Amino acid sequence: MARAEANAAAARGPGPASRRGWALLDSGRAEPASRAFRQALIEEGPTLGTMLGLGAAYRALGRRGPALEVLTRTAEAWPDSPAARNNLGTVLFDIGRLDAAEGQFRAAADLMSRQGLAPSTEVSRNLAMVARARGAPLAPTPEPLPAVVPPAVFPPAAFPAAAVPPASGIQTPAATPPGAPAPVAVRPPVPRPETEA
């Protein structure tokens, strides 16, 4: 897909399959959500929202291997996305890679700061969870920088069909102690369909 086509796809927003995937995921139906997101990749091409949704669905199903693969590719394709960095960090936390998880959470906070935004509650909470998991005192999140106009971000070219892992995969034990809350994944803002009055 040419850059212009990718930009046009991003400007259109999420398609019907991606919206269906988010609705299913929001209602707690992760398995049909993962199918909807895979269908969205075929019909609508890879978008940040679709890739984050697929990773979130795999994570909700406990399929940490595929979730890690999808979210790693997402963070590589959209390196300036705080949501991609945060969500990758949640899976890294789940598999016990605390240093890597903290790095992704800090990268998300830094990206938000550079974009003139305060670090989100989710990112701050996730950094605190890493500190608690280590038994260390809580580290402060960076202060936001003065607001600047972020550089234009262009979505990458389409992922090859082989870039999306199958629904089955290696499952690894969670690093979250029993009874402790899991790190919070975030989703990008998704435009809601407008209804006619």
Side-chain angles (χ1 to χ4, degrees):
M1 177 186 286
R3 184 169 294 238
E5 292 173 28
N7 288 336
R12 281 193 305 272
S18 185
R19 286 193 305 271
R20 185 173 55 255
W22 280 112
L24 289 164
L25 194 59
D26 288 344
S27 70
R29 300 177 59 207
E31 185 62 47
S34 71
R35 288 192 300 269
F37 287 123
R38 286 193 307 274
Q39 188 65 35
L41 288 173
I42 293 166
E43 293 174 2
E44 303 158 11
T47 65
L48 176 61
T50 300
M51 296 297 285
L52 289 175
L54 183 59
Y58 283 154
R59 182 174 179 248
L61 291 167
R63 297 179 186 157
R64 291 183 182 87
L68 180 63
E69 186 175 340
V70 166
L71 293 171
T72 298
R73 289 174 190 247
T74 304
E76 290 169 353
W78 286 276
D80 292 333
S81 167
R85 297 305 192 105
N86 180 73
N87 290 12
L88 175 56
T90 63
V91 176
L92 291 166
F93 183 91
D94 288 345
I95 62 175
R97 294 177 52 194
L98 298 181
D99 289 339
E102 180 180 23
Q104 292 300 321
F105 296 145
R106 290 204 179 277
D110 181 57
L111 285 166
M112 293 180 83
S113 181
R114 283 193 277 148
Q115 293 171 6
L117 305 169
S120 71
T121 303
E122 291 87 3
V123 172
S124 298
R125 178 175 172 237
N126 291 344
L127 282 167
M129 289 181 67
V130 170
R132 274 195 303 275
R134 290 186 173 136
L138 300 180
T141 55
E143 290 296 321
L145 296 175
V148 295
V149 177
V153 178
F154 298 99
F159 288 90
V164 179
S168 63
I170 299 171
Q171 296 186 18
T172 55
T176 307
V184 179
V186 295
R187 78 185 241 200
V190 177
R192 299 291 180 204
E194 294 182 22
T195 58
E196 295 182 25

